[in-house]
Amino acid sequence: MKTLRIGVDIGGTFTDIVAQRGDGVLHAIKVASTPEDVGEAVIAGLNQMLLSIGASMADVTEIVHGTTIGSNTILQKTGARTGVLTTKGFRDILEIARIRTPVMFDLSWTKPVPLSPRRWRLEVTERIDAEGKIVTPLNEEDVRVAGRKFVDDGVETVAICFLHSYQNSVHEHRAMAILNDEFSDLMVTVSCEVLPEMKEYERTSTTVVNAYLLKEMRRYLDRLMVRLMAAGLTAPLRVMTSLGGMVTVAVAADKPVFAVGSGPAGGAIGSAKIAKIRSLSDAIAFDLGGTTAKASLIKDGLPAITTEYEFRDGISTPSRFVKGGGYMLKVPTIDIAEVGAGGGSIAWIDSGGLLRVGPHSAGAAPGPACYNLGNDKPTVTDANICLGYLNPAGFAGGSLSIRPELSAKAIEKHIAKPLGLSLADAAVGIRQIANSEMARAIRAVTVERGRDPRTMTLIVSGGGGPVHAAEVAKMLEIRRIVVTPISGVFCSLGMLAANASYSDVQTVLKPLSVLGHEELAAVADNLREKAAQQMRAEGFSDKQITYEITLDGRYIGQSSEVTIPYASGKPAEQIRIDFMSIYAQMYGHHTDEPVEIVNLRLIARGDSGNLLKFDALSVTDEIVAESPPTRQAYFQSFGGFAQTLIFQRAAMKLGEQVVGPAIIDAYDTTMVVPPDAQAHLDTTQSVIIDIKPGD
């Protein structure tokens, strides 16, 4: 009998699975994603994994799952028919939003289409003031009339968002009870449970997104659980959140808005663990998969956290300055910038004759041209094959065969001939443009936040990350790269290091000068007890639970806040000093204006004691598709192709130096070591690439 914890991450091209045995040994596998039914790849991959290691579902003690259901549902607009029930006079809050545009003076820009059409946003008579007092009682007949219209129009989910419900939720809960009792086919979600804090647009938008995702998330999780139990699973399935923690299936099904960014969070958590082991005070986590490149900042061994972000096409980043370009999600999340530049991103020529790459991706089906599955358009992967970086014998240990000649044909037809370029120059151009997009994601979480990437280490993961890492690092003048162990499935690996988590918030909205520490401590104690009850219900003892408490502060009169660390008993003067220090770091200055505390936030984490430890990883021998000991690869500093030594990551020994130019092949990725750089394996099973200054 084995003890297995399993991490599963669904990507746009591959579904990655990592199994952690009770003795600490890791097994990894990649299978092609199945976009038409994403759960199919999960089951197929699990069965293949268990068969390969001689185990069964009965041996599994926990599955941690990162899912793209939330993000894909929003992007593809396949969510539920969503209605909104709101206070009279607030029907159009989704259109009004923040009255901001993401690009100044762009006359062609249009607002994102609300996920709930105006005809399904209905008003009821009720009013609660900013202090929580009932001004106008809830008209229950208005709720019933709205419910009947929702049902008649085929609405499937309803978001209830009443004014100031964060101060007094009695009207929202009563309206929900009426709809549940009299219109049982409607799925109902209330803002006071999803986001109990001030700011009507942010609260409404977040609740509407939650309602929009309810149907798809519940259907997916229900089907997945049925399949897993039919296969013999008796252990719990947990879902990763955007914050990098785990929640139960029941919580994820009820609050899917908290899991929109669950997949990338696993990679950020794993990278933070490696940064902590290596005593890196500042690092950048960079993850490159088949469809996107993602970057996040790591400070003192912890990923940077934000309390809001806008989900959008193209680049999706929680910028403090660019607003209005996507669907607002005001939920705690790892601060990740994402661009549409991955291995499957398609290269094309725009109407002005310029070479472009992405954001459209060939995905898993049909995939890059070299897959020979029906796509003849060139991708970043096809460019890397033509430049000699990738193993022509196939990917994922040879389990995915490729045809390099199709890559060359696609680039020649769609890029090289139309632009009058050689095949090599066209491939180099595709790669350079993709690299520029990837560097943009890193700048979004460093330079745009007043941080200097030149002083940081780049921690790289993803199947495509190590292929591009060195060139991206050079663009940003970063000199050290850490390629994570089993990089191509690292998001799944990181999930096995994630704690169970619970987050909550309570509005305070008082000047710091009149807010005593006893009052703040009482609010913190209240949230802490609520969190403890939730974590105990999931089986964690009080000794296994830790709490992180922060404050949202601002100068009185401002509309945006900054996050301040908080511990019970901290005096007001110290809170003010902390606020001004953080404010100055973010904006370059601070003033002596009075400070206001808006919210108190809490994150509780539960550690069962069996989380993956990164200081002593043991990875099973990797199977890599056979290839010659050298191959022709392109390096700019050499002015073209050069015969390049090929190394096997599984054969590398601790401290062994690999001097560039070189290529290191692994089951799940390829590492490109350019000239004037060298690489070695360290005790965390990471490959360190050092780039010499001036290269």
Side-chain angles (χ1 to χ4, degrees), residues 152 163 244 312 371 502 681:
D152 291 343
L163 192 64
R312 69 188 83 172
Y371 283 15
Y502 169 89
L681 186 70

Side-chain angles (χ1 to χ4, degrees), residues 199-218:
K199 294 188 178 180
E200 297 311 307
Y201 165 66
E202 287 81 354
R203 185 157 52 86
T204 301
S205 177
T206 304
T207 309
V208 168
V209 171
N210 194 72
Y212 187 75
L213 299 177
L214 280 175
K215 180 183 175 182
E216 286 300 315
M217 183 65 84
R218 289 179 180 178

